[in-house]
């Protein structure tokens, strides 16, 4: 799949990446997913993180917002920031 179609996620709670195989999966391991995507696509880890961050923002933060929708987006934005933090750390 093209990179601009990808998001990073942890939907498989019992399929953690190496070196955590056999343990419960969590968003702290997203950096391993980003590293593997970078290796497969022969691009930098930073490019994967930046592009998937933009993809998540496009999906979860629509361009035109009403005040009610904006409150929901703040929760989603916090989630995105948490995921990006976890990927970068």
């Amino acid at each position: 799949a093209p990179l601009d179609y990808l998001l990073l996620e942890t939907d498989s709670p019992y399929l953690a990446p190496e070196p955590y195989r056999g343990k419960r999966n969590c968003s702290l391991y997203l950096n391993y997913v980003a590293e593997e995507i970078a290796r497969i696509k022969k691009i930098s880890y930073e490019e994967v993180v930046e592009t998937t961050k933009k993809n998540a923002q496009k999906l979860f933060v629509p361009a035109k917002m009403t005040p009610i929708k904006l409150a929901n987006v703040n929760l989603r934005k916090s989630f995105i920031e948490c995921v990006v933090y976890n990927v970068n750390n």
Side-chain angles (χ1 to χ4, degrees):
L3 186 59
D4 61 341
Y5 281 42
L6 298 182
L7 298 174
L8 301 180
E9 61 174 342
T10 55
D11 270 354
S12 299
Y14 300 104
L15 188 58
E18 293 293 340
Y20 299 100
R21 192 59 46 98
K23 297 181 181 179
R24 185 168 172 85
N25 203 2
C26 74
S27 60
L28 294 173
Y29 305 151
L30 285 175
N31 58 318
Y32 295 100
V33 177
E35 288 171 355
E36 185 64 13
I37 292 170
R39 185 190 68 76
I40 290 168
K41 292 193 166 289
K42 297 178 175 55
I43 58 176
S44 73
Y45 168 85
E46 292 77 14
E47 184 177 354
V48 172
V49 171
E50 187 60 32
T51 303
T52 55
K53 175 184 171 183
K54 288 177 184 175
N55 295 346
Q57 289 171 332
K58 283 190 272 184
L59 180 63
F60 293 112
V61 184
K64 295 182 180 180
M65 303 300 302
T66 65
I68 293 172
K69 288 183 181 178
L70 188 56
N72 289 332
V73 167
N74 286 335
L75 292 174
R76 290 180 184 150
K77 184 178 179 196
S78 296
F79 170 76
I80 292 168
E81 289 170 352
C82 178
V83 169
V84 170
Y85 172 82
N86 288 330
V87 167
N88 289 328
N89 292 303

